[in-house]
Amino acid sequence: MELRNLRAFVEVVRRGGFTEASKIVLTTQSAVSKSVKLLEEELDLKLLDRIGTKSALTAAGEIVFRRAVKMLAERDDLMAELDALRGLRRGSLRVGLPAVGSDALFAPIFSAFRGRYPGIDIQLIEGGSRHLEDALRAGEVEIAGLIQPISPDFDSALVRHDPILAICAADHPLAGQTEVALEDLAEEPFILFDAGFTMHGLLIEACKRHGFTPKVIASSSQISFMLKLAAGGLGITFMPQLIAEMNAHESIGRIGLADRDIAWGMTLAWRRGAFLSRAAEAWLQLAASMGVCAAPADGAVKPPPR
């Protein structure tokens, strides 16, 4: 059973089609289709039920997908362990970072890491926390920036813990207040991050705890767009304090939330029990030495060679 055929099949399932999968595995759509067909022929089972341009997993396909994800993750662990034998003169590091806060929190690490280890190729994946959790479990990335709370499947080091602020138009009646109770916003239209972002679920759950379901008029992954909608008076949006301060403007007002439990906690996370490449260890140690994250627990990460 060839791993490249398994990889093609997994990406077809995860990306929702052959075209998107071909962009991930860097080949043609016809080559991806052929790989899946070869896998089906080898197993003598139909894995995908093709309906027009859509594909759905068969019962056999669900089993193969679940096992294939684990097999590919093991393969990546194997390659990472072999890379460790080569030191840090060459190799690769796969990092997943969220769209929110990465420019401020992680850009300095990229620059410092590149200067210290020029032979290491850094491959970056961006997305919401839920997407990055899936990528971390599947072994597509070794380290990911995840928002708390995180799954017990992962070890982590805290990067930053920020209160979440309500953002409204500068002429909104609430704009002059320093603090507001979440329930006082129950009649306001909300502008939230997309459902793939942890902050979306965090705000929805917080509203339910305070006795109401928010009226969400827009969801987006674009910070600047959300802030412009709020500045235009279309509704209230919510940002971690770091992001709100970076995007301070006279057209918007920033208001603290009375509920201090509504907070944004950024971590660097990795699969619990997985082998970390020397490059990943070096990344975490460098981040800790730069004060970007807390030092990992003793024994979790070995000091990298200099």
Side-chain angles (χ1 to χ4, degrees):
M1 186 177 297
E2 295 194 23
L3 288 177
R4 68 169 178 266
N5 293 340
L6 284 175
R7 176 72 73 183
F9 170 67
V10 166
E11 292 302 336
V12 169
V13 176
R14 296 192 69 209
R15 309 298 167 178
F18 290 84
T19 301
E20 292 303 315
S22 68
K23 297 175 184 178
I24 301 299
V25 297
L26 304 178
T27 188
T28 63
Q29 179 179 339
S30 60
V32 171
S33 181
K34 183 178 179 181
S35 289
V36 174
K37 184 178 180 181
L38 287 172
L39 184 59
E40 289 179 322
E41 290 176 350
E42 181 178 3
L43 298 172
D44 195 25
L45 288 166
K46 190 173 184 180
L47 304 180
L48 292 173
D49 187 10
R50 298 167 179 82
I51 307 172
T53 59
K54 302 289 185 179
S55 296
L57 281 171
T58 63
E62 291 179 358
I63 294 172
V64 173
F65 175 73
R66 185 177 70 250
R67 295 285 186 174
V69 166
K70 293 180 180 179
M71 291 171 65
L72 292 170
E74 286 293 327
R75 181 265 183 194
D76 290 339
D77 280 354
L78 168 64
M79 298 307 296
E81 192 165 353
L82 293 176
D83 278 346
L85 296 176
R86 306 182 184 108
L88 288 170
R89 292 185 298 275
R90 61 190 179 92
S92 63
L93 173 63
R94 305 178 312 280
V95 181
L97 294 179
V100 181
S102 291
D103 51 349
L105 295 174
F106 301 117
I109 310 179
F110 275 91
S111 178
F113 190 89
R114 175 61 67 194
R116 186 173 294 186
Y117 309 111
I120 303 298
D121 178 34
I122 302 177
Q123 301 169 17
L124 175 64
I125 293 178
E126 287 187 303
S129 271
R130 293 178 184 175
H131 171 71
L132 294 178
E133 281 191 13
D134 289 342
L136 200 54
R137 285 193 180 92
E140 292 182 3
V141 296
E142 287 191 88
I143 303 170
L146 300 182
I147 306 301
Q148 295 177 329
I150 65 172
S151 166
D153 294 342
F154 309 125
D155 285 319
S156 66
L158 181 65
V159 174
R160 186 177 175 109
H161 193 269
D162 261 4
I164 291 177
L165 305 183
I167 309 294
C168 62
D171 58 359
H172 192 284
L174 295 172
Q177 297 188 24
T178 57
E179 187 174 274
V180 65
L182 191 60
E183 57 266 31
D184 291 339
L185 302 177
E187 298 304 316
E188 299 284 343
F190 279 18
I191 303 161
L192 299 182
F193 281 99
D194 285 338
F197 289 74
T198 298
M199 273 189 59
H200 180 98
L202 189 153
L203 265 301
I204 296 293
E205 289 303 315
C207 291
K208 290 180 180 178
R209 289 199 308 271
H210 286 263
F212 71 98
T213 299
K215 298 181 293 184
V216 181
I217 63 162
S219 297
S220 176
S221 61
Q222 302 298 316
I223 293 172
S224 59
F225 179 61
M226 295 166 68
L227 290 172
K228 286 179 180 177
L229 290 180
L234 273 74
I236 305 287
T237 193
F238 299 86
M239 296 286 164
Q241 182 174 309
L242 170 69
I243 308 303
E245 291 176 350
M246 288 175 58
N247 292 275
H249 192 272
E250 61 184 12
S251 63
I252 59 176
R254 294 172 291 166
I255 315 164
L257 296 178
D259 186 345
R260 303 302 185 197
D261 290 335
I262 306 174
W264 178 79
M266 173 67 75
T267 66
L268 280 175
W270 57 96
R271 278 186 298 143
R272 179 162 291 169
F275 180 89
L276 281 178
S277 69
R278 297 297 293 278
E281 293 170 356
W283 175 277
L284 290 171
Q285 290 288 340
L286 182 59
S289 69
M290 293 174 64
V292 174
C293 72
D298 291 345
V301 177
K302 300 185 292 293
R306 294 300 301 269

